[in-house]
């Protein structure tokens, strides 16, 4: 009997039933996984790869991978032996290897070392950038949140930047921008929030995608006031951007100290859109991604009580009243760039928008560090007039403080 004849003998109703069952299982499995990632995602280590290093003079040769081939600047930390840190320039494929030139080097990156390489550039503390800092704790209603305090170069307690990492992220991811913040004249407070790695667990450990985490940012402003600071800017990455904007809601005002502006790097502005987009990111057909996305939202709400309207920053855009500087990469596969496009279009009176061609999620700095740093410094000095003008090294400098 031919294959066609066998197919004709199959009971169509039974086949459709099995197909529907299989589809439902796939959708539900994807939704349960998506809900778990949405609610609990956190990592112990900064994302990167471990690779062997070949070095000739100022050139470094690495195995080809998605990380080592990434556009723009990457950081590399030798593990065996651990003798320093270096910034590497853009990649060039040489046979089966990736060649990058050393832009800045602190310590020694030896030939033959096993090293961590990452587009997040740093994986340690501000000391890795050569900058002195204090580890501190932010007192909140749910516990003590760990933070790094980096005083201003001038020593004055005038203005401070509250730096907020993202979903599943860690504080080292923003160390790339610390030298620029220092040059702008502000102090910095790198904070974390409830249910993130290293922070207190609250309830079942579920994230609220920016809503309750904003309370921890308000607590950081209280800390800054008690430490003697008089004004602040908020600086959020990915979900940290949503947290920063959630802190602008009327229920959090008046602030402990005035907030003069907000910096956003690839912010998550619409979680419904983000969840749907991440389904399609893994090759799931559009119609299935929509179904999975809808079930993820349902499961998240059922498990945690999440109100997606509360963290919809595009819907809240008309209520914002502070200057915003915004970066987003055109190759961002985590948070669709259309969200930042929409915010910039909705509030051109407030938003200074930098649409970075070729940048992945929170990798805008890597494409052109000097340009990004200049934009950040100019924004900080615009919204916080009267800051001192410290004289530091170049935008890529790893030298930091002379006494570090």
């Amino acid at each position: 009997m031919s294959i066609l004849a066998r197919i004709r003998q199959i009971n169509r109703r039974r086949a459709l039933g099995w197909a529907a069952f299989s589809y439902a299982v796939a959708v539900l499995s994807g939704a349960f996984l998506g809900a778990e990632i949405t609610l609990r995602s956190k990592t112990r280590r900064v994302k990167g790869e471990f690779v062997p290093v070949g070095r000739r003079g100022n050139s470094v040769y690495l195995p080809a991978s998605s990380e080592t081939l990434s556009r723009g600047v990457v950081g590399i930390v030798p593990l065996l032996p651990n003798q320093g840190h270096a910034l590497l320039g853009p990649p060039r494929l040489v046979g089966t290897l990736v060649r990058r030139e050393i832009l800045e080097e602190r310590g020694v990156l030896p030939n033959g070392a096993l090293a961590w390489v990452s587009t997040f550039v740093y994986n340690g503390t501000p000391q890795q950038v050569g900058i002195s800092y204090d580890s501190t704790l932010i007192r909140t209603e749910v516990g003590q949140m760990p933070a790094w305090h980096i005083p201003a170069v001038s020593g004055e307690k005038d203005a401070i930047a509250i730096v907020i990492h993202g979903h599943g992220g860690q504080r080292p991811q923003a160390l790339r921008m610390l030298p620029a913040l220092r040059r702008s004249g502000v102090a910095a407070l790198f904070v974390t929030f409830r249910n993130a790695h290293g922070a207190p667990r609250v309830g079942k450990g579920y994230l609220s995608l920016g809503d309750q985490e904003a309370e921890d940012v308000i607590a950081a402003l209280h800390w800054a006031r008690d430490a003697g600071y008089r004004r602040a800017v908020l600086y959020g990455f990915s979900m940290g951007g949503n947290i920063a904007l959630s802190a602008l809601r009327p229920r959090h005002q008046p602030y402990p100290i005035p907030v003069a502006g907000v910096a956003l790097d690839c912010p998550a502005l619409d979680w419904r859109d983000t969840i749907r987009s991440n389904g399609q990111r893994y090759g799931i057909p559009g119609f299935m991604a929509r179904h999975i996305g809808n079930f993820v939202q349902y499961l998240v709400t059922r498990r945690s009580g999440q109100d997606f309207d509360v963290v919809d920053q595009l819907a809240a855009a008309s209520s914002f009243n502070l200057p915003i500087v915004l970066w987003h990469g055109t190759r961002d596969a985590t948070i669709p760039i259309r969200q930042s496009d929409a915010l910039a279009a909705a509030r051109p009176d407030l938003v200074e928008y930098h649409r970075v061609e070729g940048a992945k999620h929170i990798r805008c700095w890597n494409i052109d560090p000097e340009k990004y740093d200049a934009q950040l410094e100019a924004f900080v000095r615009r919204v916080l007039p009267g800051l001192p003008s410290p004289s530091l090294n170049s935008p890529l400098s790893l030298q930091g403080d002379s006494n570090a």
Side-chain angles (χ1 to χ4, degrees):
M1 183 180 295
S2 68
I3 295 177
L4 184 60
R6 290 178 182 274
I7 292 174
R8 287 173 178 167
Q9 288 184 346
I10 295 175
N11 186 302
R12 292 185 179 180
R13 180 176 296 180
R14 179 178 297 176
L16 289 172
W18 278 109
F21 175 77
S22 300
Y23 182 81
V25 168
V27 168
L28 289 173
S29 298
F32 275 103
L33 177 60
E36 184 66 18
I37 292 172
T38 302
L39 287 169
R40 294 186 189 271
S41 182
K42 60 182 179 180
T43 56
R44 294 179 177 274
R45 298 178 179 85
V46 179
K47 180 183 175 183
E49 294 182 351
F50 296 98
V51 296
V53 174
R55 178 171 182 176
R56 290 184 180 177
N58 207 48
S59 299
V60 172
Y61 296 84
L62 306 169
S65 69
S66 59
E67 199 77 8
T68 61
L69 283 168
S70 292
R71 300 184 188 184
V73 173
V74 300
I76 189 165
V77 179
L79 304 180
L80 298 174
N82 186 355
Q83 294 181 314
H85 179 277
L87 265 68
L88 307 182
R92 179 183 174 187
L93 197 60
V94 180
T96 60
L97 298 176
V98 177
R99 176 179 173 179
R100 289 179 179 263
E101 300 302 314
I102 295 176
L103 302 177
E104 297 281 353
E105 186 173 12
R106 183 180 178 85
V108 178
L109 178 63
N111 181 50
L114 176 65
W116 172 88
V117 62
S118 175
T119 48
F120 285 126
V121 183
Y122 300 103
N123 62 354
T125 69
Q127 190 66 45
Q128 194 176 32
V129 195
I131 294 175
S132 299
Y133 73 103
D134 300 312
S135 287
T136 188
L137 295 171
I138 308 300
R139 182 181 302 168
T140 77
E141 61 183 7
V142 296
Q144 305 268 36
M145 304 292 165
W148 295 328
H149 172 228
I150 302 95
V153 174
S154 66
E156 297 181 16
K157 288 191 173 180
D158 175 10
I160 190 166
I162 310 297
V163 184
I164 314 158
H165 67 77
H167 186 281
Q170 293 185 12
R171 286 170 286 167
Q173 293 174 349
L175 287 176
R176 292 165 288 171
M177 297 78 178
L178 180 55
L181 288 174
R182 304 265 289 162
R183 283 190 300 273
S184 73
V186 297
L189 188 67
F190 282 54
V191 301
T192 189
F193 46 81
R194 62 193 69 189
N195 295 318
H197 174 65
R201 174 188 168 107
V202 179
K204 295 181 178 180
Y206 295 152
L207 299 172
S208 68
L209 308 182
D211 182 20
Q212 297 301 313
E213 293 85 358
E215 301 284 351
D216 303 328
V217 171
I218 300 301
L221 292 172
H222 278 282
W223 181 96
R225 180 199 62 191
D226 294 343
Y229 291 100
R230 300 189 293 272
R231 49 186 179 155
V233 293
L234 306 181
Y235 190 2
F237 295 78
S238 192
M239 178 179 138
N242 198 299
I243 296 171
L245 294 176
S246 293
L248 302 185
R249 299 297 173 88
R251 66 188 171 106
H252 296 302
Q253 300 182 31
Y255 302 119
I257 56 175
V259 175
V262 180
L264 304 173
D265 193 312
C266 301
L269 302 172
D270 179 350
W271 280 103
R272 297 182 182 95
D273 179 54
T274 299
I275 290 169
R276 287 192 299 268
S277 176
N278 274 272
Q280 292 176 297
R281 173 184 176 185
Y282 296 104
I284 299 172
F287 67 91
M288 181 180 283
R290 286 192 296 273
H291 290 158
I292 291 175
N294 289 337
F295 273 107
V296 168
Q297 294 168 46
Y298 171 77
L299 290 172
V300 168
T301 299
R302 282 295 301 271
R303 292 172 66 181
S304 70
Q306 178 70 51
D307 184 346
F308 284 93
D309 289 335
V310 171
V311 288
D312 186 342
Q313 305 301 347
L314 295 180
S318 61
S319 68
F320 298 151
N321 58 2
L322 292 176
I324 296 171
V325 63
L326 169 62
W327 294 271
H328 210 126
T330 59
R331 295 182 64 207
D332 192 330
T334 303
I335 308 294
I337 193 172
R338 58 179 173 264
Q339 295 183 20
S340 288
D341 291 344
L343 177 60
R347 296 305 306 268
D349 56 322
L350 292 182
V351 178
E352 174 192 325
Y353 187 25
H354 302 287
R355 205 172 192 270
V356 183
E357 188 65 35
K360 296 180 181 179
H361 187 56
I362 55 176
R363 272 67 161 201
C364 295
W365 181 91
N366 303 66
I367 298 297
D368 192 337
E370 293 189 14
K371 186 175 182 180
Y372 186 109
D373 285 351
Q375 293 162 347
L376 176 58
E377 291 176 54
F379 175 78
V380 171
R381 300 189 69 82
R382 173 165 65 87
V383 300
L384 293 168
L387 289 171
S389 300
S391 177
L392 295 182
N393 298 315
S394 67
L396 290 176
S397 176
L398 293 176
Q399 300 305 310
D401 297 342
S402 59
N403 63 348

